[in-house]
Amino acid sequence: SSELTQPPSVSVSPGRTARITCSGDSLRGHFGYWYQQKAGQAPVLLIKKDSERPSGIPERFSGSRSGTTVTLTISGVQAEDEADYYCQSADSTYTWVFGGGTKLTVL
Amino acid sequence: QVQLVQSGAEVKKPGASVKVSCKASGYILSDYYMHWLRRAPGQGLEWVAWFNPNSGGTMYAQKFQGRVTMTRDTSISTAYMELSGLRSDDTAMYYCARSRPPEYGDYGNDYWGQGTLVTVSS
């Protein structure tokens, strides 16, 4: 099955910008999605269709695409943004595909 | 408002089966696909399968094929996932989450249940 590749960890100081990339063949012709999962909580949809923010998601979260790589950008990182982040797409059989997750540490 | 409320924690022995429920409110169960996902301790999020409550159609991650059964009871707006042949590495938090039908080109899970902890231990 197709895989999505994310960096295992990203560290950033408060107020700076964090970028998390996700790449894979599944993203060819299919939208990318991003989820945030804080410790002990269910995941939350952060970005849909590469770059759309669902209602209620702060503007500091944004998404973009270049080819078969999607990127989650968090501007002005806050301590509360420390979490695991997952990208997701689907393959041609509508099987869901997830990246391995990126642990964001706010220094 | 949309809510997905899952059943409580379960402790099972190896080889047994577990059935997790997910009660939907705030929308019509048949209008959205229901997905099941899990997160094992120290691991990442893993997609298990989806279920089309309207047609009964299913799609599974290859590793769960043959071990997962999904059903629904539309009269009480509840979806179920049963996992059989439990092993210790099935110990995880299991989540239900809805999505629009993927043929619409939208693959995101916009609402999630709170999770059901399944522990497999002898």
Side-chain angles (χ1 to χ4, degrees):
Chain A
S1 63
S2 303
E3 295 179 352
L4 295 176
T5 301
Q6 303 178 228
S9 62
V10 168
S11 299
V12 63
S13 300
R16 309 289 287 193
T17 296
R19 293 181 180 84
I20 301 173
T21 58
C22 170
S23 61
D25 286 343
S26 298
L27 290 167
R28 195 185 313 275
H30 298 278
F31 288 120
Y33 296 75
W34 289 97
Y35 301 86
Q36 175 194 64
Q37 187 175 27
K38 296 183 179 180
Q41 298 183 20
V44 170
L45 179 63
L46 276 184
I47 298 291
K48 62 180 182 178
K49 294 185 177 180
D50 292 348
S51 59
E52 296 181 12
R53 240 185 347 266
S55 167
I57 300 302
E59 290 183 8
R60 65 179 184 276
F61 293 96
S62 63
S64 62
R65 166 191 284 263
S66 176
T68 56
T69 296
V70 291
T71 301
L72 173 68
T73 300
I74 311 172
S75 305
V77 167
Q78 301 179 5
E80 67 194 51
D81 298 333
E82 188 158 287
D84 295 321
Y85 292 84
Y86 296 90
C87 63
Q88 176 251 320
S89 187
D91 68 14
S92 57
T93 62
Y94 297 144
T95 297
W96 258 222
V97 180
F98 277 86
T102 298
K103 181 176 179 61
L104 178 70
T105 300
V106 181
L107 301 170
Chain B
Q1 73 281 22
V2 173
Q3 276 194 306
L4 299 174
V5 178
Q6 298 182 224
S7 48
E10 303 264 11
V11 179
K12 296 291 183 180
K13 294 195 182 301
S17 297
V18 66
K19 191 171 186 177
V20 180
S21 68
C22 175
K23 183 171 177 60
S25 60
Y27 77 99
I28 298 171
L29 183 69
S30 299
D31 286 349
Y32 287 79
Y33 281 37
M34 189 66 79
H35 296 247
W36 293 91
L37 307 97
R38 74 182 190 181
R39 187 170 183 188
Q43 302 296 312
L45 201 54
E46 181 175 33
W47 178 77
V48 176
W50 59 243
F51 178 70
N52 179 348
N54 190 39
S55 68
T58 56
M59 180 63 72
Y60 304 92
Q62 195 167 6
K63 68 181 287 186
F64 296 104
Q65 197 99 30
R67 284 210 301 146
V68 171
T69 303
M70 294 175 289
T71 56
R72 84 292 202 191
D73 184 339
T74 53
S75 70
I76 56 172
S77 294
T78 300
Y80 302 89
M81 182 209 61
E82 184 170 20
L83 181 62
S84 62
L86 289 170
R87 307 184 289 256
S88 58
D89 62 358
D90 289 318
T91 294
M93 185 72 78
Y94 287 77
Y95 298 97
C96 61
R98 76 168 199 179
S99 79
R100 296 189 69 203
E103 55 265 33
Y104 291 178
D106 188 354
Y107 314 124
N109 296 111
D110 58 353
Y111 286 90
W112 295 65
Q114 82 279 17
T116 296
L117 180 62
V118 174
T119 303
V120 183
S121 174
S122 55

